[in-house]
């Protein structure tokens, strides 16, 4: 195997993985299992140590970008120039690292810039204000509640907490939430009790 075919192989594998990830997204699961010897551990890169972006600099996209640029640069240097193999290797590593770094910066600064982890408290229904869009009948009648949460308009089934009917358009507050049903009280009743 020559250096030229090695670099060409790296380029083809990197480019193929790029097309596969473009076609399948980032969730391609292969039926390959790797078993390491007992006691062998790979270094752990955590979002807590690597910054607040939540993405590791060593991920599939950056490694694919490195492999593609590394292989392409190495192939061009060895095929069209009679450069020394060591010089071609060093330049290919530098260009591949630059490509991987650019991909990491793009992902962390552009794609993941506004991402943050979901917390259960952000979606807690207790105390949410909303309006009844379908009236709630007396007793166990079920209507519909329209409310805003996390910047989006949402709806869910709603029942009256005390069993009284609630008219359409009434502003209500969620007292409890069970099995996808919000139990509500009219906002006027809550403010008059305070």
């Amino acid at each position: 195997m020559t250096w030229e075919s090695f670099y060409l192989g790296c380029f083809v594998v990197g480019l193929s993985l790029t097309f596969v990830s473009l076609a399948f997204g980032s969730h391609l699961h292969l039926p390959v299992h790797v078993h390491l010897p007992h006691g062998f551990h790979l270094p752990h890169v955590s979002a807590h140590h690597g910054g607040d972006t939540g993405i590791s600099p060593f991920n599939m996209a950056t490694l694919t970008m490195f492999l593609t640029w590394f292989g392409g640069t190495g192939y061009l240097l060895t095929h069209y120039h009679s450069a020394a193999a060591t010089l071609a290797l060093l330049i290919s590593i530098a260009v591949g690292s630059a490509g991987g770094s650019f991909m990491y910066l793009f992902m962390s600064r552009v794609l993941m810039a506004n991402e943050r982890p979901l917390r259960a408290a952000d979606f807690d229904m207790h105390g949410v204000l909303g309006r009844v869009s379908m009236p709630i009948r007396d007793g166990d009648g079920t209507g519909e509640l329209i409310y805003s949460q996390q910047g989006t308009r949402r709806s869910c089934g709603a029942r009256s907490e005390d069993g009284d009917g609630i008219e359409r358009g009434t502003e209500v507050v969620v007292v409890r939430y069970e099995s996808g049903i919000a139990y509500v009280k009219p906002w006027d009743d809550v403010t008059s009790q305070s």
Side-chain angles (χ1 to χ4, degrees):
M1 171 183 260
T2 65
W3 279 105
E4 185 178 335
S5 61
F6 170 72
Y7 289 128
L8 184 60
C10 289
F11 176 74
V12 168
V13 167
L15 195 61
S16 299
L17 287 174
T18 301
F19 286 130
V20 166
S21 67
L22 182 65
F24 293 104
S26 62
H27 298 289
L28 175 65
H29 298 283
L30 299 174
V32 177
H33 299 282
V34 177
H35 297 280
L36 300 173
H38 182 68
F40 180 79
H41 297 286
L42 293 173
H44 177 66
V45 179
S46 172
H48 302 295
H49 302 308
D52 61 351
T53 60
I55 185 169
S56 169
F58 301 105
N59 58 55
M60 190 62 175
T62 58
L63 294 177
T64 302
M65 184 66 73
F66 170 82
L67 192 61
T68 305
W69 285 31
F70 169 79
T73 304
Y75 176 76
L76 291 175
L77 286 174
T78 55
H79 184 73
Y80 293 110
H81 298 290
S82 59
T86 306
L87 181 61
L89 179 65
L90 293 174
I91 293 172
S92 298
I93 289 172
V95 171
S97 297
S101 298
F102 288 138
M103 177 56 78
Y104 171 69
L105 288 174
F106 175 73
M107 289 172 56
S108 65
R109 305 292 168 111
V110 176
L111 298 180
M112 305 289 287
N114 296 321
E115 295 291 321
R116 59 188 176 99
L118 295 176
R119 298 177 307 178
D122 293 338
F123 298 95
D124 185 23
M125 289 293 292
H126 188 269
V128 170
L129 294 173
R131 288 199 182 277
V132 174
S133 62
M134 292 181 62
I136 301 171
R137 293 173 293 147
D138 288 336
D140 285 337
T142 304
E144 182 182 43
L145 172 68
I146 302 288
Y147 61 98
S148 179
Q149 194 173 50
Q150 292 293 318
T152 60
R153 185 176 169 174
R154 301 171 185 238
S155 66
C156 69
R159 289 185 180 154
S160 176
E161 174 69 17
D162 53 11
D164 296 338
I166 301 175
E167 295 296 319
R168 179 178 185 219
T170 305
E171 195 170 23
V172 295
V173 63
V174 176
V175 178
R176 63 187 167 102
Y177 187 78
E178 295 174 358
S179 303
I181 302 291
Y183 292 87
V184 299
K185 277 189 170 183
W187 178 245
D188 294 336
D189 292 354
V190 172
T191 56
S192 65
Q193 290 176 356
S194 308

